[in-house]
Amino acid sequence: NEIDMRRFAGSMLQQFQQQARAKQITLFTEATDEPIILYASLNHLTVVFRNVLDNALKYTPEGGSVTWSISSGVEGVTSILEDTGLGIESENLPHLFERFFRVDKARSRQVPGTGLGLALVQSIVSAYGGSISIESEGLHHGTTVTIFWPYGEACEQAEIT
Ligand code: ATP
Ligand code: MG
């Protein structure tokens, strides 16, 4: 399917605005005025961005902020999602994409989750030939999730495992 990434981001934000307001988190977006067109399954795109937005809001305490910027390059779209939340210690960064992995089970106990979100996100993104990377300066220093998604064409048949 042909997807206008700016419109898609707008509808995602609308869906998450309530969750953000409930926690007094400010949700910012930055994108170009030009339409950004992707060829992808709307379902796949939705699963990916719903998971990373959900994480940013879940792991950011009240009063924080989440900034989502989308830019178009030669081969695809780069999405950078930056939060001011809990952050992730460097020793945990290599494990984020493992199924059922959650940082510090005790700490995460107050925040519900299964630890499957990012594993699924990574399989979808790589099925499209894209990439995801997660950076953090450490505990309480926030987290930045960068996703590169190629413009693609007829990628719907991409196998998701
Ligand atoms: P699920 O997404 O299945 O509901 P989950 O959010 O725990 O559960 P993932 O989305 O795979 O699972 O994330 C794995 C772990 O990475 C989380 O449990 C959390 O510890 C850490 N994490 C992910 N995103 C962030 C973030 N933005 N800030 C801080 N920690 C994060
Ligand atoms: Mg999650």
Side-chain angles (χ1 to χ4, degrees), residues 50-52 54-56 58-59 102 112-118 121:
R50 193 174 274 164
N51 267 290
V52 292
D54 178 63
N55 283 347
K58 277 204 300 194
Y59 303 112
R102 305 195 75 209
T114 56
L116 284 169
L118 288 175
V121 163

Side-chain angles (χ1 to χ4, degrees), residues 91-142:
E91 69 256 39
N92 290 316
L93 290 173
H95 304 291
L96 297 177
F97 302 110
E98 292 166 14
R99 282 174 204 200
F100 304 112
F101 179 83
R102 305 195 75 209
V103 174
D104 186 358
K105 307 267 186 306
R107 184 187 89 190
S108 301
R109 207 171 289 154
Q110 308 110 316
V111 184
T114 56
L116 284 169
L118 288 175
L120 181 58
V121 163
Q122 195 189 39
S123 23
I124 294 175
V125 169
S126 31
Y128 280 85
S131 62
I132 174 167
S133 67
I134 301 184
E135 287 158 55
S136 176
E137 299 291 323
L139 206 55
H140 305 298
H141 283 81

Side-chain angles (χ1 to χ4, degrees), residues 11-78:
S11 81
M12 278 287 122
L13 282 174
Q14 228 176 337
Q15 292 174 44
F16 281 93
Q17 207 56 256
Q18 206 176 329
Q19 199 175 326
R21 225 174 278 139
K23 278 182 85 176
Q24 286 158 316
I25 292 172
T26 322
L27 205 45
F28 296 102
T29 42
E30 293 158 16
T32 51
D33 290 331
E34 310 290 302
I36 306 172
I37 303 299
L38 280 184
Y39 295 90
S41 147
L42 181 58
N43 264 330
H44 292 159
L45 209 65
T46 304
V47 167
V48 165
F49 288 100
R50 193 174 274 164
N51 267 290
V52 292
L53 281 162
D54 178 63
N55 283 347
L57 290 173
K58 277 204 300 194
Y59 303 112
T60 296
E62 301 218 343
S65 68
V66 172
T67 307
W68 190 14
S69 64
I70 295 166
S71 60
S72 55
V74 178
E75 288 170 21
V77 175
T78 299

